[in-house]
Amino acid sequence: MGQRMFLFGIVVATLLIILVKECRTDHVSPCQGECEAVKCPAHCNCKKRSIKCNDRNLTYIPRIPCDIKHLTLAGSNIQILSVNETSNLSCSFETLTLLNLRDCKITFFVGDVFTNLTQLKYLDLSFNKIVSYKEKNIRSIQRALGSLNSAPLRTLKLDRLLIHEGVNEIFKYFEGRHLTYLSMRENEIIEIEDIVFKNFTKLIHLDLYRNWINKLNLSSGMRKLELFNLSHNQINIFPPKFCKTGKSSYTSLKNLDLSWNQIIVPFSRNWNCLNTLKTLNLSRNDIEYIAENHGFQNLSSLRTLILSEMRTTLRRIRNEAFRCDSLQHLDLSGNGLNFEDPRQVDKDIFNYLPRLTSLDVSDNSIRTVGAQKLTNLSSLETLIMKNVNLRLLPDDFLANFPNLTYLDLYRNKIEQFSANAFRNLTKLMLLNISDNLVSNFPVPPFPPATLYSLESFDFAYNYFECDCDIFELQNWIREVLNDPNKKNIFSRYPDEYRCYKPQSMYHTPLNEAKPTHCTNVRYELILCIISSAIICLLFAVLLVVAYVYRWEIKFLCHKMRQRRRTEYRPLTYTFEYNTYVAYAEKDSAWVIHDLLKELEEARYNIYIRDRYSVPGVARCDEIVDNIYKSKTVILVLSKNFAACQWCSYQLNVAQARAVKLGPHFIIPVLLEGIDSKHMKKSVQHLFRSSKPIEWARQSTKNRLFWSELKGALDEEITNGFEDTGYQDCDVEDISICK
Ligand SMILES: *[C@@H]1O[C@H](CO)[C@@H](O)[C@H](O)[C@H]1NC(C)=O
Ligand SMILES: *[C@@H]1O[C@H](CO)[C@@H](O)[C@H](O)[C@H]1NC(C)=O
Ligand SMILES: *[C@@H]1O[C@H](CO)[C@@H](O)[C@H](O)[C@H]1NC(C)=O
Ligand SMILES: *[C@@H]1O[C@H](CO)[C@@H](O)[C@H](O)[C@H]1NC(C)=O
Ligand SMILES: *[C@@H]1O[C@H](CO)[C@@H](O)[C@H](O)[C@H]1NC(C)=O
Ligand SMILES: *[C@@H]1O[C@H](CO)[C@@H](O)[C@H](O)[C@H]1NC(C)=O
Ligand SMILES: *[C@@H]1O[C@H](CO)[C@@H](O)[C@H](O)[C@H]1NC(C)=O
Ligand SMILES: *[C@@H]1O[C@H](CO)[C@@H](O)[C@H](O)[C@H]1NC(C)=O
Ligand SMILES: *[C@@H]1O[C@H](CO)[C@@H](O)[C@H](O)[C@H]1NC(C)=O
Ligand SMILES: *[C@@H]1O[C@H](CO)[C@@H](O)[C@H](O)[C@H]1NC(C)=O
Ligand SMILES: *[C@@H]1O[C@H](CO)[C@@H](O)[C@H](O)[C@H]1NC(C)=O
Ligand SMILES: *[C@@H]1O[C@H](CO)[C@@H](O)[C@H](O)[C@H]1NC(C)=O
């Protein structure tokens, strides 16, 4: 029993011991003892495990409670940092991961200040004045950095510490086994060898931006380095050499920034190992000439190449200068190159870039001719052509880039373009034509498919001509804005869209422009079209009617001319007959049934031989006698007439008489057409001197015939010639009478 009790006791005791131990370990946290009492320091902002005492001008490191991870003291006034100061961090020695001592006016470190910060991952010592030119100061920072060796430091920022020379001295005791990010921006480093960073085997990002570096020895290499920022230094003539005799020592480098240096030769043979490089920034150097030696070809991963703003030094790009199969983004902006001039830019420079999707050629002189050099870049998705002196947007230019999504034509001199210019751009999302000289925008400015894809259209600051056409543009804008998907499509609308012309509208917002003189343009146009159509129609109808009723009209005209003769006037005593009718025997039917009947009904006195011929009187005498008794002679002309001898005789007598009485004496009536070859000379002459009155079978035309005939008879009757004497007759050709 006692044994059992004993065992039980042991078990309970061990359990108790374990429990007590558990409790102990719980209590053996940093927050034991005096640390428990420490609260959030005055003037600081404490949030969870993070304390910020920014810009408080603190002259000391305040006492920090336990379990803090982040401490920011930027903008303090600590001046000398010693172990005494860091002892105020003691409660969080094992938890602090971030310490920001930026701009704390530290000039000097005393002792191994960071030794107990065993969890520190991020340290920022920038903007202090630690490294002057004094040996003593250098030693102080050597030691301070050396005291970080027990911490897993990843990020170290040593910007603007006035580091001048002896970078290797600074890191003399610093192992940096965990360092991935080292920044030494804005120091005064002139010379640097990469052997200094040799032990930082995990370094990924090295930032030496804005130093005075002109000598770089990169022969050791950094195998993990991905981003190397050497922007704003004084590297001149040749770019840095990355590969020593083909051996690759920068095997991970992806992004190399060499902008703002004084490099003249754009690439180096010692780059061939940089087969991981994706982005190369050579902006703002002094490059003069990009030769044809395929300099970028061996950068087999290169995606982005920036060759912008060479401060007017770049004057020549040769044909295959950019031969690079992988390149996707090329920036040639701000070089003031004249793309039209083949001595500056060779014709084919863009022909060896099969993957290029983005091109920036802003601030060069491209114009229409230069733009032709771009046309082989069929994969382009982004095209930036700001300020390139473009005066035209040729209809067939943009069709070369069917995948274009972003097009920037800001500040060119485009005066006009047609919607056709955008006809193949069905993926366009952003279009900027602002600050051009367009006065009359086509409406719509682009085809429906382009509008459908478009998300932003900026055409502010153009020279809008707010004349009558402006209504169309206003309507189009209103329509587009009514579409809920396109509500924000017009950038800066309506504020920056103002009329330029006419003078009276100058600076009026586009959406408020209402030219007064043309409010009803459309209405007036329609009216004009309708009225001219009606006039044309009426005219056509009139023509048709006039044609159909041509004889009636002629008759009416004739009647009007004849209006003076209101009633029949009797013959004067000298003439027995109004008219003598000369006709061929074969036409007697017409003469008797038509002519005679009609004229006698009109109370004319007619002589026709068939009725009046006196038997026994010689035919000749009778003819002469009666012609002389008649005021006129009607000749019934026909084929028969032409064939009849007696008819010719009568004609001759009549013509002889006409010599005295005037040409109106003879009234030729054409009963039917006669061939001119059957006509006797005298008949032909008759045709020429007086137009015969034509007979036709249509009744309408007949009315005209009768009217004309009566008119001719009346004219002769009323001219009042008095003559008795056929004694005067000097008819000579009466041989037929024999
Ligand atoms: C910070 O404190 C120092 C001395 O303690 C003083 O001279 C300085 O003017 C202070 N600066 C600001 C910005 O308060
Ligand atoms: C430690 O912090 C306290 C206030 O939190 C301060 O009074 C003291 O001077 C600091 N000690 C040192 C050595 O800076
Ligand atoms: C580090 O902490 C130990 C005890 O925890 C202390 O003796 C030593 O002085 C501290 N060192 C510094 C530099 O703070
Ligand atoms: C550290 O603080 C103690 C008293 O708090 C002081 O006697 C000593 O001089 C200080 N040491 C330094 C280096 O400031
Ligand atoms: C760098 O590493 C080498 C060996 O790998 C070692 O001998 C040297 O001491 C290290 N330098 C520093 C400053 O830790
Ligand atoms: C570059 O550094 C290496 C190693 O430190 C050295 O051997 C070489 O001579 C240096 N090259 C130049 C040009 O200084
Ligand atoms: C290099 O630093 C400058 C200045 O901060 C920055 O603008 C540039 O983007 C950096 N380059 C890279 C490649 O990050
Ligand atoms: C290249 O460098 C220029 C000048 O420093 C800078 O403006 C530009 O943003 C850089 N481009 C990239 C892609 O880093
Ligand atoms: C590119 O690499 C090939 C093979 O490594 C080499 O023959 C050629 O000279 C290199 N081109 C340039 C411009 O360095
Ligand atoms: C486009 O490229 C082809 C093949 O390289 C070439 O024949 C043609 O002349 C180029 N067109 C232009 C406008 O450069
Ligand atoms: C346009 O884009 C489509 C899909 O991204 C691609 O298949 C096509 O090849 C591209 N066209 C050109 C001319 O690059
Ligand atoms: C538009 O693109 C298609 C192919 O994407 C092409 O066949 C057609 O010719 C292009 N139209 C114009 C006007 O260039």
Side-chain angles (χ1 to χ4, degrees), residues 403-445:
N403 278 355
L404 214 57
T405 57
Y406 185 110
L407 177 62
D408 195 341
L409 296 166
Y410 166 78
R411 191 168 286 190
N412 277 287
K413 295 182 175 139
I414 300 170
E415 287 174 15
Q416 58 184 45
F417 63 88
S418 91
N420 269 345
F422 298 95
R423 67 199 148 172
N424 247 12
L425 303 189
T426 53
K427 297 182 183 174
L428 199 65
M429 286 158 78
L430 185 140
L431 173 60
N432 188 346
I433 319 185
S434 63
D435 219 336
N436 274 279
L437 306 177
V438 188
S439 52
N440 289 307
F441 271 84
V443 177

Side-chain angles (χ1 to χ4, degrees), residues 41 60-63 84-85 87-88:
Y60 52 87
I61 294 179
R63 187 121 179 91
N84 267 8
E85 268 77 33
S87 65
N88 261 354

Side-chain angles (χ1 to χ4, degrees), residues 354 377-381 400-403 427:
L377 296 170
S378 55
S379 311
L380 275 191
E381 288 166 15
N400 293 304
F401 319 114
N403 278 355
K427 297 182 183 174

Side-chain angles (χ1 to χ4, degrees), residues 387-612:
N387 191 25
V388 296
N389 272 328
L390 212 57
R391 287 171 192 280
L392 283 173
L393 192 57
D395 280 2
D396 54 357
F397 176 61
L398 295 175
N400 293 304
F401 319 114
N403 278 355
L404 214 57
T405 57
Y406 185 110
L407 177 62
D408 195 341
L409 296 166
Y410 166 78
R411 191 168 286 190
N412 277 287
K413 295 182 175 139
I414 300 170
E415 287 174 15
Q416 58 184 45
F417 63 88
S418 91
N420 269 345
F422 298 95
R423 67 199 148 172
N424 247 12
L425 303 189
T426 53
K427 297 182 183 174
L428 199 65
M429 286 158 78
L430 185 140
L431 173 60
N432 188 346
I433 319 185
S434 63
D435 219 336
N436 274 279
L437 306 177
V438 188
S439 52
N440 289 307
F441 271 84
V443 177
F446 23 69
T450 307
L451 178 62
Y452 180 76
S453 63
L454 212 58
E455 285 171 8
S456 172
F457 178 36
D458 191 344
F459 60 114
Y461 295 111
N462 271 286
Y463 283 51
F464 294 102
E465 188 173 327
C466 294
D467 224 323
C468 303
D469 293 345
I470 209 67
F471 291 119
E472 266 189 86
L473 186 61
Q474 286 171 342
N475 287 340
W476 178 78
I477 291 174
R478 221 171 291 134
E479 259 171 47
V480 173
L481 289 178
N482 278 342
D483 182 343
N485 296 324
K486 303 283 172 191
K487 246 189 298 186
N488 301 316
I489 187 173
F490 300 121
S491 312
R492 302 187 279 180
Y493 183 83
D495 297 348
E496 314 299 350
Y497 294 71
R498 287 172 192 271
C499 301
Y500 181 73
K501 275 193 262 177
Q503 194 66 40
S504 57
M505 294 268 181
Y506 182 75
H507 217 60
T508 311
L510 181 66
N511 56 342
E512 289 166 19
K514 283 195 182 66
T516 47
H517 61 282
C518 46
T519 39
N520 293 328
V521 223
R522 192 173 283 180
Y523 176 71
E524 271 169 24
L525 192 74
I526 290 171
L527 205 69
C528 179
I529 291 171
I530 288 178
S531 53
S532 46
I534 287 175
I535 287 169
C536 287
L537 197 73
L538 280 178
F539 191 70
V541 166
L542 266 176
L543 275 181
V544 169
V545 167
Y547 180 75
V548 169
Y549 292 96
R550 60 197 183 282
W551 300 116
E552 275 81 357
I553 290 164
K554 270 191 181 177
F555 172 70
L556 274 177
C557 292
H558 189 77
K559 268 276 173 262
M560 304 257 266
R561 263 186 269 128
Q562 297 294 313
R563 191 152 270 175
R564 271 171 297 156
R565 189 218 181 211
T566 44
E567 60 184 69
Y568 171 71
R569 289 207 208 143
L571 285 166
T572 51
Y573 65 95
T574 40
F575 294 107
E576 204 168 310
Y577 307 111
N578 285 101
T579 189
Y580 177 101
V581 183
Y583 61 97
E585 204 76 50
K586 287 180 181 162
D587 296 328
S588 57
W590 178 76
V591 172
I592 289 163
H593 289 122
D594 292 276
L595 183 74
L596 200 60
K597 193 165 155 244
E598 176 75 25
L599 292 184
E600 284 190 338
E601 262 172 28
R603 296 174 59 206
Y604 289 98
N605 208 2
I606 317 284
Y607 179 88
I608 57 168
R609 273 198 359 262
D610 285 351
R611 191 194 297 170
Y612 294 103

Side-chain angles (χ1 to χ4, degrees), residues 191 193-195 216-220 244:
E191 247 185 278
E193 296 186 0
D194 62 356
I195 197 159
L216 257 170
N217 183 341
L218 301 175
S219 54
S220 299
K244 202 173 63 182

Side-chain angles (χ1 to χ4, degrees), residues 269 272 293-295 298:
R269 212 173 304 122
N272 286 339
N293 55 3
H294 308 169
N298 281 349

Side-chain angles (χ1 to χ4, degrees), residues 3-255:
Q3 245 180 349
R4 276 186 184 178
M5 286 296 284
F6 176 74
L7 274 174
F8 182 75
I10 286 178
V11 168
V12 167
T14 42
L15 275 175
L16 268 174
I17 286 166
I18 288 168
L19 269 175
V20 166
K21 242 195 178 165
E22 287 284 296
C23 287
R24 255 238 187 100
T25 44
D26 255 8
H27 276 274
V28 177
S29 72
C31 279
Q32 217 191 6
E34 54 184 85
C35 279
E36 254 178 323
V38 183
K39 293 282 169 283
C40 178
H43 315 300
C44 293
N45 184 1
C46 306
K47 207 184 239 176
K48 287 191 182 165
R49 301 174 72 185
S50 146
I51 297 179
K52 284 187 182 164
C53 311
N54 288 356
D55 304 311
R56 294 286 167 199
N57 204 15
L58 294 174
T59 52
Y60 52 87
I61 294 179
R63 187 121 179 91
I64 298 297
C66 59
D67 218 20
I68 297 303
K69 284 185 88 173
H70 297 174
L71 176 60
T72 303
L73 291 164
S76 297
N77 190 15
I78 292 167
Q79 300 197 12
I80 293 173
L81 189 68
S82 67
V83 183
N84 267 8
E85 268 77 33
T86 47
S87 65
N88 261 354
L89 304 174
S90 59
C91 295
S92 284
F93 269 163
E94 278 150 36
T95 55
L96 210 60
T97 59
L98 180 148
L99 180 58
N100 184 344
L101 294 172
R102 195 179 170 88
D103 193 18
C104 288
K105 283 95 189 168
I106 299 169
T107 55
F108 206 76
F109 296 99
V110 182
D112 300 328
V113 282
F114 303 116
T115 314
N116 284 343
L117 293 166
T118 53
Q119 297 306 315
L120 202 61
K121 288 182 181 158
Y122 178 105
L123 177 62
D124 190 349
L125 292 173
S126 306
F127 287 79
N128 287 293
K129 301 207 164 90
I130 306 161
V131 182
S132 67
Y133 303 96
K134 289 183 207 150
E135 183 74 12
K136 199 175 73 170
N137 290 16
I138 289 179
R139 264 189 277 113
S140 93
I141 191 165
Q142 265 177 1
R143 200 165 159 194
L145 293 182
S147 72
L148 286 162
N149 283 342
S150 48
L153 197 70
R154 304 263 165 82
T155 301
L156 179 59
K157 291 195 174 180
L158 300 173
D159 304 339
R160 222 185 294 173
L161 292 180
L162 304 176
I163 298 170
H164 177 66
E165 51 192 16
V167 182
N168 42 350
E169 292 293 306
I170 291 171
F171 297 119
K172 192 168 177 182
Y173 305 122
F174 179 55
E175 288 171 359
R177 280 175 287 123
H178 307 281
L179 206 62
T180 58
Y181 182 106
L182 175 60
S183 158
M184 298 177 76
R185 303 161 68 118
E186 302 177 54
N187 283 293
E188 295 166 8
I189 303 165
I190 295 171
E191 247 185 278
I192 197 155
E193 296 186 0
D194 62 356
I195 197 159
V196 172
F197 312 111
K198 196 174 183 229
N199 285 5
F200 309 162
T201 50
K202 290 185 177 160
L203 199 62
I204 291 171
H205 187 142
L206 178 57
D207 193 346
L208 293 171
Y209 168 80
R210 208 184 269 272
N211 276 280
W212 301 348
I213 298 169
N214 61 34
K215 267 195 187 160
L216 257 170
N217 183 341
L218 301 175
S219 54
S220 299
M222 286 185 260
R223 296 183 165 270
K224 288 275 160 66
L225 195 69
E226 290 179 9
L227 192 151
F228 199 175
N229 197 340
L230 281 165
S231 174
H232 273 86
N233 276 286
Q234 290 171 12
I235 303 166
N236 53 38
I237 306 183
F238 297 103
K241 298 176 182 172
F242 280 90
C243 320
K244 202 173 63 182
T245 60
K247 208 183 83 201
S248 173
S249 42
Y250 281 85
T251 44
S252 305
L253 195 61
K254 292 200 175 104
N255 192 341

